[in-house]
Amino acid sequence: MDKQRQKELKEQYKETKAYLGVVQITNQVNGKIYIVAVRNVKNIWFRLRMQLDMGSHANLDMQADWKNYSEDAFIYEVLEEKEQNAQMDLKWETKVLEKKWLGLLEPYGDKGYNKPPK
């Protein structure tokens, strides 16, 4: 790839808007949900699927169901997203969003894969 094309691609990347947000993964077989806030909703489904396919996802219950039911049993959706800006504290913003949705949906025990708050 020539230097001009690299420069164009870098500029396109810089101009692409990034969104932080909250995503939900739903197991259609048992109805359990997994809620996670992320700094980039654009590529998180790819990363989560890769972890689950490789058997390396940190959530062992969801990992076991992924293995038993396959990817086809799961649905991915974005619940909320916010455009990032330079003034944002991304870590704080994602924690606030995640806390909000965990409180609303309570995806614990039979309802979900998340661990209940302490």
Side-chain angles (χ1 to χ4, degrees), residues 71-93:
E71 177 180 345
D72 295 336
F74 291 83
I75 297 174
Y76 164 84
E77 62 186 303
V78 176
L79 298 177
E80 183 175 351
E81 63 183 13
K82 291 174 109 175
E83 186 176 336
Q84 293 182 16
N85 63 53
Q87 292 77 35
M88 275 186 171
D89 178 343
L90 296 177
K91 187 175 182 178
W92 182 82
E93 290 283 345

Side-chain angles (χ1 to χ4, degrees), residues 4-43:
Q4 180 60 32
R5 181 66 180 143
Q6 285 179 339
K7 184 178 179 181
E8 290 170 9
L9 290 173
K10 283 181 183 178
E11 288 302 315
Q12 284 178 351
Y13 178 78
K14 288 179 185 176
E15 292 173 14
T16 302
K17 293 181 180 178
Y19 294 89
L20 62 90
V22 177
V23 298
Q24 174 176 296
I25 299 171
T26 304
N27 180 330
Q28 299 178 90
V29 175
N30 62 19
K32 291 177 99 173
I33 60 174
Y34 178 69
I35 303 296
V36 64
V38 295
R39 294 182 185 185
N40 185 347
V41 296
K42 182 178 172 184
N43 65 6

